Amino acid sequence: MSQDYNKTIRACFTSYIVQAIINNFVPLLFLTFEKEYGIPLSRIALLVTFNFGIQLLVDLLSAGVIDKVGYRISMITALALCALGLVSLVVLPGLFSNPWTGLLGAVMIYGAGGGLLEVLVSPVVEACPTENKEKAMSMLHSFYCWGHVGVVLISTVFFVLLGVENWRILALFWALIPLYNMITFFRVPIAPLIKEDEGISFRTLIGKKIFWVFMILMVCAGAGEQAVSQWASAFAEEGLKVKKAVGDLAGPMFFAAMMGTSRALYGKYGEKIDLGKMMTYSGILCIASYILISLSPHPALGLIGCGICGLSVGIMWPGTFSMASASIRGGGTAMFAFLALAGDLGCSSGPTLVGQVSGILGNNLKMGILAAVLFPILFVISVRYLLRLKLKA
């Protein structure tokens, strides 16, 4: 592979760090927003729903547009929106009498950028001339996890040293990363995903039964991951009765580190592993982790469950992308866009289900997480069905 395409892949890795920033920085501030702006926690939690909801809408609408304007302009636009959204997080709440409106506006801006990144980054890497696509895809997605770890670690150190009340300075710092990467994408080469005569039509794509199985897998992968990840900090703070800094380190950073480890290990040894079996075992382990988090009488065991959950969900998202790419030749941008749409639908519905069930049961977060165990259960069932379809083909 040429040195120039190495630069492209590194820029894609950085793009997933950007994705981690926009998805995981604001949840660290949930309790801060509640105190500073006087917004109920149940309403603040809706920011997650709006973030992934906007990403979902962009996923739905972007496929045709991306093919017309090209991947380069689309990547530059996505990263610009991410940077602008993070800056707006600082500026917009102060411009409205109701700060909730400003927060929502900022989330909508960077959510649009995140939605574009979700559609763009995987196919850009898929198009690069690499020998083992599964390994490259898993390594790519591991950078989302390391970005998540970095966001939590750096944010926690910042809050301890300078105070959480200065979070606006940190938001502006995080905005520099998508801005830098945007400039990078003006220069790096981008290969075409498919040749003009190899693509299949949208009607052919949605007519394939196997495509809809992959869509279900993506919903379950997104929900299974975010149902725990987005609530891990609050779970640690409430369960262990610890300060925010300890809660952030014990909850989301532990989860993200374990998820990144599983992706990095598969990225290194992926050619020796049967992906279908790996996905099945991961789903079963995820079910066990949800039960441990929800039903363990000891908060420390619940936190261990969060780490096991991170380890188990690591392969689900990139593994589904890799299997879909190998199984549906010529799917192109439309396939990646709809898989991203399904993933973001899961990312939105998982944390929302946890929040809603928790609220109904008197803010019982454990029972909220237990309700979301249906997603890894459905994931395992779908993987087994998919493997049967491939055997018949």
Side-chain angles (χ1 to χ4, degrees), residues 25-66:
F25 176 55
V26 166
L28 297 177
L29 298 169
F30 278 177
L31 299 180
T32 302
F33 289 160
E34 181 188 30
K35 295 171 184 175
E36 184 172 328
Y37 295 128
I39 304 170
L41 193 60
S42 59
R43 200 174 185 192
I44 290 172
L46 287 175
L47 293 175
V48 175
T49 306
F50 277 107
N51 176 29
F52 289 113
I54 290 295
Q55 292 190 35
L56 188 153
L57 181 63
V58 171
D59 295 341
L60 180 63
L61 300 176
S62 62
V65 177
I66 290 170

Side-chain angles (χ1 to χ4, degrees), residues 185-258:
F185 267 100
F186 276 99
R187 303 189 301 267
V188 297
I190 298 177
L193 180 59
I194 54 176
K195 296 178 181 178
E196 291 186 8
D197 58 346
E198 291 181 350
I200 61 175
S201 69
F202 175 69
R203 179 174 293 182
T204 302
L205 178 66
I206 64 174
K208 290 180 177 290
K209 183 187 296 184
I210 197 171
F211 168 74
W212 292 105
V213 179
F214 284 123
M215 292 286 281
I216 293 172
L217 286 174
M218 286 301 296
V219 170
C220 295
E225 175 185 321
Q226 295 297 326
V228 172
S229 174
Q230 293 289 327
W231 288 101
S233 180
F235 178 82
E237 288 182 63
E238 292 294 326
L240 295 179
K241 306 299 181 185
V242 296
K243 293 182 180 179
K244 174 175 173 53
V246 178
D248 289 346
L249 291 173
M253 197 173 88
F254 182 37
F255 177 94
M258 295 299 286

Side-chain angles (χ1 to χ4, degrees), residues 116-332:
L116 278 173
L117 286 180
E118 197 63 69
V119 175
L120 292 164
V121 177
S122 291
V124 169
V125 171
E126 181 73 21
C128 288
T130 53
E131 292 182 0
N132 192 308
K133 301 294 185 181
E134 291 83 1
K135 288 178 62 176
M137 195 67 71
S138 187
M139 194 63 71
L140 167 69
H141 286 263
S142 76
F143 272 80
Y144 176 88
C145 308
W146 305 132
H148 189 172
V149 170
V151 168
V152 176
L153 183 59
I154 294 172
S155 298
T156 300
V157 172
F158 179 92
F159 294 150
V160 169
L161 295 179
L162 298 179
V164 70
E165 65 274 9
N166 290 311
W167 62 267
R168 293 170 181 82
I169 297 173
L170 187 59
L172 295 176
F173 166 75
W174 289 128
L176 295 175
I177 297 178
L179 185 63
Y180 166 80
N181 211 37
M182 180 191 75
I183 296 171
T184 301
F185 267 100
F186 276 99
R187 303 189 301 267
V188 297
I190 298 177
L193 180 59
I194 54 176
K195 296 178 181 178
E196 291 186 8
D197 58 346
E198 291 181 350
I200 61 175
S201 69
F202 175 69
R203 179 174 293 182
T204 302
L205 178 66
I206 64 174
K208 290 180 177 290
K209 183 187 296 184
I210 197 171
F211 168 74
W212 292 105
V213 179
F214 284 123
M215 292 286 281
I216 293 172
L217 286 174
M218 286 301 296
V219 170
C220 295
E225 175 185 321
Q226 295 297 326
V228 172
S229 174
Q230 293 289 327
W231 288 101
S233 180
F235 178 82
E237 288 182 63
E238 292 294 326
L240 295 179
K241 306 299 181 185
V242 296
K243 293 182 180 179
K244 174 175 173 53
V246 178
D248 289 346
L249 291 173
M253 197 173 88
F254 182 37
F255 177 94
M258 295 299 286
M259 185 165 68
T261 298
S262 70
R263 289 178 176 177
L265 287 174
Y266 185 75
K268 185 173 179 62
Y269 302 108
E271 73 276 4
K272 301 176 183 178
I273 298 172
D274 184 307
L275 183 56
K277 290 181 179 179
M278 181 75 169
M279 298 267 277
T280 302
Y281 297 148
S282 294
I284 294 170
L285 184 61
C286 188
I287 294 168
S289 72
Y290 269 66
I291 293 172
L292 181 60
I293 292 168
S294 305
L295 302 181
S296 170
H298 303 292
L301 286 177
L303 276 179
I304 292 173
C306 287
I308 295 173
C309 184
L311 184 70
S312 67
V313 301
I315 195 61
M316 291 182 177
W317 189 296
T320 303
F321 264 71
S322 294
M323 291 179 75
S325 182
S327 302
I328 307 175
R329 295 294 182 183

